[in-house]
Amino acid sequence: MEHSLIGKRIQRKEDYRFLTGAGQYTDDVELPKQTFAAFVRSPHAHARLKSVNVEKAKKAPGVLAVYTGQDLADAKVGGLPCGWLITDVKGQPMKEPPYPVLAQGKVRHVGERVAVVIAETLEQARDAAERVEVDYEVLPAVVDAATAGRKPGIHEIAPDNTCYVWALGDKAAVDAAFSKASHVTTLEFVNNRLVPNAIEPRSANAAYSRADDGYTLYVANQNPHVERLLMTAFVLGLPESKVRVVAPDVGGGFGSKIYLYPEDHAVTWAAKKLNRPVKWTAERSESFLSDAHGRDHVTRAELALDKDGKFLAMRVKTTANLGAYLSTFASCIPTILYATLLAGQYTTPAIYCEVTAVFTNTAPVDAYRGAGRPEATYVVERLVETAAREMKMDPAELRRKNFIRQFPYQTPVALLYDTGDYEATLKAAQDLADVSNYEKRRAESLKRGKLRGLGYACYIEACGIAPSNIAGALGARAGLFEAGEIRVHPTGTVTVFTGSHAHGQGHETTFAQVVADRLGLPIEKVEVVHGDTSKILFGMGTYGSRSIAVGGTAIVKALDKVIAKGRKIAAHLLEAGEQDIEYENGTFKVAGTDRQKSFAEVAFAAYVPHNYPLDKLEPGLNENAFYDPTNFTFPAGSYVCEVEVDKETGATQIASFVAVDDFGKIINPMIVEGQVHGGLAQGIGQALTECTRYDSDGQLLTGSFSDYAIPRATDVPSFGLDTRETPCTHNPLGVKGCGEAGAIGAPAAVMNAITDALGVKDLAMPATSHTVWKKLQEKNHARV
């Protein structure tokens, strides 16, 4: 009987732990002699630090120490590094201002860390933090990305607040195509800033041991080895061998827990100073102020078409807000992960994109679920939908007219798509959405006084980040491989060690499915371990929907080595030639005979090597592998959204939402559906409810859930989901990745539906009831 677990809807192994309250998150870690930290944060967006007086705080009950930026400077603690170098249009490196752990000389955004107070209890630390006296000289704040270049510089190294001006594509060819175009569609819009808001706030708990001069940092993080590398090499100047980073259960990340954060380094440094563990966990208000935000682009985009609707060229100019400092991967989000996706699913022959990245007195901006790909998809799909309406063409047919149909396909913006079938996902989405009967539904809505609209979005994303040689050529300051280890125990059970990290994705199940399927074992015999640098090989962590495509492939390569050695052992045990040994469904057997040994028998023989050719074959059955992909993977899909809008109030209800995705080979459909559901909810949140707003002084106006509206259950419909499969051609599993898709395609689909319902070209995200109502009033007044 064939043993296959790939494609099975297996319940998540980790869920019992979480549902019974047995999960262990960083804040759950209590260490002997535990102390607690509270940070003094700037109430100003931009100010000079005239003085920081900590004497009253030091005398407060329970206080053990108070440290300022000067203390860390005296100890030669470095600043936080940026992991990606962008070279500007003039061939010059981007501007990289210092990013101190605690502010030195100036503060540059509300919530920046000025001092840290450490006490016996959290309450004592917080009380003492209020006694720190800071004298600020308030300076004008730079908040708006569009005008930042005309304001005084917030960093000496960037007097016009420009980090870089970067471009991709053939400008001359694009300009020539536009000059010959029969039709040009132009849009200007803001891709609204978002706060990630993982359910678990950031947390760090650091301990120091005098016995071995070693540190242990428990931290809510998506890539513990990267945290350790950057912390030791650039900030604290420690040997890597002296630092252990443990990322236990992590309650969501969405990109916001990839990065180095000052709090992690402050508590680690302080742990040695005090010779006691130091813990800090963010309040939700601190998360709003200091977690890396996402998106925040101001864009002008143009699409040139011939008279028949064939795309001739695209021209995009974007100003990207980086916030006050360069977060770990901030520089590559509006460049490498944005402009390279502007081809979308289409054969547009010429594309040119220019990006100006600016500093402002706001929280740093970095990757948030999708990371550049949602912004690119929004540009492309809003342009395509608008062009169809302007040219009186069916939006789906205009897309079909321009679909890529032959693979591999080299885009004009650097990427080489290996495979895809965009017609298949679009047709399936139309069928599932019952588009053919849409006009009937629209008429019924009109009878009830409602406006109904339909919108498409056909997205593509680059995942499986990334081939290290390509990434390195584009400015990455690290490799982007992944590592896996297969440890077979004497009884035949298996432990998998992976450099990928799980924070909601279900890796303990999907990785176990891959291993159990490959070895022909029950899934219960496979355990997956991640998140501890003292246990796992150096790996790059989880982001960019890379875990199964890159981490899973590393595991498969290690499995291949285990099976290869098992064949050697079985050949000895069965007194046969190695070339005659076959492995299938957990059994090594001699081809053409009934002579066989189970996987468990071979494993036992590996560790109890009696009558074993030790001169030819070493004991043990433990293999590891590193995998560096040769290309990105390219998940793609088609989304169809229908909305109803109340003409009197502007209230918008999503009547239906259909998503048909091509994720390549699917390991566990149930987990994939969960990932798509979550991504869609976040994408719908961006389109309808979420927006981060600062006032002109740089004060965060949306600093709590009272003001920042994440979507509620009533804001999202019951989704219609389906998949089509074109396996990836360059990894053995044929997988592509699924974690970000929903957040990439949903905003454009929703906004295309709403603008269709209103009969307007432009509408700002989020399309709140007030925003939609105002647009309706403008349209009505224009008719008068």
Side-chain angles (χ1 to χ4, degrees), residues 712-774:
R712 298 162 297 184
T714 54
D715 294 316
V716 296
S718 179
F719 302 116
L721 304 185
D722 201 355
T723 58
R724 293 295 180 268
E725 181 183 308
T726 58
C728 176
T729 61
H730 54 80
N731 68 58
L733 290 169
V735 295
K736 295 182 179 181
C738 69
E740 297 164 292
I744 292 170
V750 173
M751 295 306 291
N752 283 336
I754 297 173
T755 53
D756 179 51
L758 303 185
V760 300
K761 178 177 179 178
D762 299 315
L763 186 69
M765 289 194 293
T768 63
S769 297
H770 181 65
T771 299
V772 172
W773 181 85
K774 281 179 61 179

Side-chain angles (χ1 to χ4, degrees), residues 99 188 236 332 532 577 684 724 752:
Y99 186 178
E188 295 184 5
L236 299 182
C332 73
D532 186 339
I684 289 168
R724 293 295 180 268
N752 283 336

Side-chain angles (χ1 to χ4, degrees), residues 596-613:
Q596 60 185 34
K597 292 288 183 181
S598 69
F599 181 80
E601 289 175 304
V602 168
F604 188 79
Y607 289 98
V608 185
H610 299 165
N611 189 28
Y612 196 86

Side-chain angles (χ1 to χ4, degrees), residues 12 18 23-28 196-203 219-222 247-254 256-257 284 291 501-505 530:
R12 296 186 357 151
F18 297 138
Q24 186 178 60
Y25 300 87
T26 299
D27 191 58
D28 294 325
N197 279 313
I199 195 168
E200 176 207 23
R202 287 191 294 116
S203 184
V219 62
N221 185 270
Q222 298 177 214
D249 291 328
V250 173
F254 313 120
S256 69
K257 293 173 182 170
R284 183 60 65 179
D291 285 7
H501 186 275
H503 36 278
Q505 296 90 342
H530 61 85

Side-chain angles (χ1 to χ4, degrees), residues 178-252:
F178 268 85
S179 70
K180 300 173 184 176
S182 297
H183 181 85
V184 173
T185 292
T186 303
L187 286 172
E188 295 184 5
F189 46 77
V190 173
N191 202 290
N192 41 322
R193 179 186 281 232
L194 306 174
V195 178
N197 279 313
I199 195 168
E200 176 207 23
R202 287 191 294 116
S203 184
N205 191 353
Y208 172 74
S209 170
R210 285 181 177 172
D212 60 0
D213 193 29
Y215 300 76
T216 299
L217 172 65
Y218 296 89
V219 62
N221 185 270
Q222 298 177 214
N223 44 357
H225 268 295
V226 176
E227 170 108 358
R228 183 179 75 163
L229 171 63
L230 298 180
M231 172 185 285
T232 56
F234 293 95
V235 186
L236 299 182
L238 301 170
E240 277 185 275
S241 60
K242 293 297 183 181
V243 178
R244 175 192 178 202
V245 174
V246 182
D249 291 328
V250 173

